[in-house]
Amino acid sequence: MTKKTFIIHILMLLVGMSMAAQTKSGLSPEAFVADINGKQTALYTITNPNGMEACITNFGARLVSLMAPGKRGMEDVVLGFDNINDYISLKQNFGATVGRYIGRIKGARFVLDGKEHQLQGFGKGNISHGGKPGFANVVWDVVSKTDSSLTLRYLSPDGEAGFPGNLTVTLTYTLTAANTLKIDYEATTDKPTVLNISNHSFFNISGHPEKDILHEELMVNSKKIATFDAQKNLDGGFRKVKGTPFDFRKPKAIGQDIDKDDEQLTITKGYDHSFVLKNRKGELLLQASLVDQKAGRQMIVYTTEPALHIYTANGLKGNQKGKRGIAYPCRSAICFEAMHLADSPNHPEFPSTVLRPGETWHSTTVYQFTTSTRQPTTCLTGPVTVFGLGIGLAGLLVAGIVSLIK
C-alpha cells in the first residue's frame, strides 16, 4: 500500500467515524467537548426501542435534543444549541437543570431554624435560579450510563451562592419503552438547607422551532395560580383560574387568551406563572398535556411536584440561533417547570422546601409522547393518576403505563 493510499484510507475512516458519531438530531459530539475549570464536558446519547433519542450534556445536566414520535416520524422537540461554546457564552437555560433554587427568592435571604442566610443578590436584590454559578452552569460528574439512561451527580459546596450545607444531587435521565423521558432526582445535605430543582427544557412539539407555539392546545390540571406583585415577585396570594385567561382545565390553544387585558399577563408579557397542583403527597400524577394537531404529536406531563411553572418563552427575541441555525422567535416554546413555589423559604404557608441531614429529597417528572391527539376533555375533581390514562387518552396502551411506572 502506497503512502498516498494509506492516507486516503485513514481519511475515509475518520469521515466514517464522524458520520457514525452524528446523532439522529444532527448533533456532533465533538462540538460538546471542552475543559471547564479542569472538568471535561461531553455529549451523551440515550435511546429507546422505538427510535426515540435524547442527547444530554453534563454541562448543566442539560437536555440538548429530544427526538419524539409524530405523524411525520421522529422530530426534535426541544430548543437548544449545537455546541458547548454557545451554552457557555449565551447564558440561556435551554434544557438546563436549574438549582439550587429555581425561581426567585425575594431579598436574597431566608431564615431557617432562627438563623438568617444571606444569598447572592442580583436583579433588585433578589436571587434567581440559584445564583452564580447555578446548577445550569457547572460540570456534572457522570455516575453511570446505559443505552437508555444517564445518571449525573453534582456536589454543591457549603456556602455556594450563600446556601448552607454540602448538597449532593443525583439525577437520572431515562428513556422508556412507553416513549417517556423520565427525570429522577435525589439530594442529601449535611446541614439544614432549602432546595428547589427543576428541568428548564423549552418544548416546541411541532418540530418547527422557527414558529411559535400559540396554536398548540394545552390542558393543565390546576384550579389556581400563584400571583406576582408588580416587580414579578410572588406576593403570597393565589388566584382561581375560573373565568380568567389562566383556565386550562379544558384544552385550549395557548394563544387564545395570552394577550388578554389581564394584570398578571401584563406583568409577565404572557404566561410565566406557577399553576398550583393538587398533589401534596408526592405521587406521580398526570398534570398537563400539550397537543399539536398538525404534527400529530401529544406530550403528557406527570410530576410528583406541587406546582407546574408554565413559561411561554416571552423573552425570546429571535436574536439567538440554535440548532440547525434556526433563530428562535418570541413564544417559540413552552416550558413545564415542575417545582415547588418560588420564595417558599419566606412563605411558611407554601409547601416546604427544607431538607435536613439524614433525609433524602426525591422528585420525579415524566414527559410522555404519543401520536394520539385526544386530550382529557375536562379537569376531573381530583388529579388524574398514571393509572387513569384511559380517560381521553385511548391511544396509550396498558403496557406503556406499566413501563412508565417502573
Side-chain angles (χ1 to χ4, degrees):
M1 181 183 293
T2 66
K3 183 178 180 181
K4 181 178 180 180
T5 304
F6 176 77
I7 292 173
I8 290 173
H9 275 286
I10 293 297
L11 289 173
M12 289 178 66
L13 179 62
L14 290 173
V15 169
M17 290 174 62
S18 176
M19 290 178 65
Q22 195 92 353
T23 70
K24 289 182 180 180
S25 56
L27 298 173
S28 297
E30 294 86 353
F32 287 84
V33 176
D35 185 298
I36 300 176
N37 298 325
K39 301 186 76 171
Q40 296 293 313
T41 64
L43 186 73
Y44 301 89
T45 301
I46 58 175
T47 59
N48 79 351
N50 306 319
M52 285 189 69
E53 175 198 81
C55 292
I56 300 144
T57 177
N58 61 328
F59 178 70
R62 293 171 182 259
L63 178 65
V64 178
S65 66
L66 179 61
M67 299 294 286
K71 71 178 183 182
R72 294 186 296 261
M74 295 289 174
E75 293 179 302
D76 190 0
V77 295
V78 295
L79 275 57
F81 299 118
D82 61 8
N83 65 88
I84 193 66
N85 292 330
D86 283 350
Y87 280 108
I88 294 169
S89 63
L90 295 180
K91 307 300 182 186
Q92 257 294 353
N93 282 315
F94 293 148
T97 297
V98 179
R100 282 190 191 192
Y101 208 99
I102 191 168
R104 292 183 185 179
I105 296 179
K106 187 177 181 179
R109 59 169 294 281
F110 67 92
V111 175
L112 179 59
D113 297 337
K115 181 179 179 180
E116 180 173 334
H117 296 275
Q118 189 64 48
L119 310 174
Q120 287 178 348
F122 299 100
K124 300 181 180 178
N126 303 314
I127 186 172
S128 180
H129 288 354
K132 298 179 182 179
F135 289 3
N137 297 301
V138 296
V139 181
W140 293 56
D141 296 320
V142 176
V143 177
S144 63
K145 183 186 179 302
T146 69
D147 289 345
S148 60
S149 69
L150 176 70
T151 299
L152 302 167
R153 181 172 294 149
Y154 178 63
L155 172 60
S156 176
D158 183 21
E160 185 172 56
F163 289 95
N166 291 297
L167 184 75
T168 301
V169 182
T170 304
L171 78 81
T172 300
Y173 285 100
T174 305
L175 276 179
T176 77
N179 287 343
T180 70
L181 176 67
K182 183 168 67 164
I183 310 176
D184 291 303
Y185 307 83
E186 285 189 358
T188 58
T189 181
D190 61 1
K191 290 182 182 179
T193 192
V194 296
L195 78 160
N196 196 14
I197 304 170
S198 186
N199 181 271
H200 207 305
S201 287
F202 286 63
F203 291 96
N204 184 319
I205 66 168
S206 75
H208 291 277
E210 70 276 11
K211 300 178 181 179
D212 66 47
I213 45 82
L214 299 182
H215 65 285
E216 294 180 355
E217 299 161 12
L218 175 65
M219 187 281 294
V220 185
N221 192 20
S222 173
K223 294 182 178 180
K224 61 183 179 181
I225 61 166
T227 53
F228 288 122
D229 63 20
Q231 286 72 47
K232 201 183 168 185
N233 298 307
L234 289 188
D235 59 13
F238 297 95
R239 177 182 176 185
K240 292 183 178 180
V241 301
K242 185 177 180 180
T244 78
F246 296 89
D247 193 349
F248 288 95
R249 292 174 298 166
K250 293 182 180 180
K252 70 176 180 182
I254 294 169
Q256 179 175 315
D257 297 321
I258 196 170
D259 290 318
K260 287 285 181 70
D261 184 12
D262 179 274
E263 180 184 21
Q264 287 294 307
L265 290 176
T266 299
I267 292 170
T268 54
K269 298 180 174 60
Y271 296 111
D272 191 3
H273 292 77
S274 289
F275 287 73
V276 178
L277 308 175
K278 190 178 179 181
N279 184 12
R280 292 210 173 206
K281 296 180 180 179
E283 300 171 289
L284 183 62
L285 305 176
L286 192 162
Q287 299 290 12
S289 63
L290 183 68
V291 164
D292 190 296
Q293 296 287 350
K294 188 173 182 181
R297 181 176 292 115
Q298 179 172 190
M299 183 175 79
I300 306 158
V301 183
Y302 309 80
T303 187
T304 58
E305 291 294 300
L308 197 59
H309 192 92
I310 293 179
Y311 171 55
T312 47
N314 315 299
L316 293 181
K317 301 176 182 177
N319 58 353
Q320 288 185 340
K321 289 187 177 181
K323 293 170 290 184
R324 294 181 286 152
I326 294 173
Y328 297 140
C330 182
R331 297 175 177 170
S332 58
I334 180 170
C335 303
F336 295 87
E337 303 159 51
M339 55 187 277
H340 279 56
L341 294 174
D343 205 27
S344 291
N346 294 316
H347 289 275
E349 71 275 18
F350 291 175
S352 176
T353 56
V354 174
L355 180 68
R356 299 186 181 278
E359 299 176 344
T360 300
W361 172 76
H362 297 276
S363 181
T364 298
T365 296
V366 174
Y367 304 101
Q368 184 166 35
F369 293 88
T370 173
T371 55
S372 168
T373 56
R374 292 183 59 194
Q375 286 179 298
T377 56
T378 185
C379 176
L380 304 182
T381 55
V384 183
T385 71
V386 292
F387 302 104
L389 287 174
I391 303 172
L393 298 171
L396 300 181
L397 302 176
V398 172
I401 301 171
V402 173
S403 297
L404 171 65
I405 62 178
K406 283 184 178 179

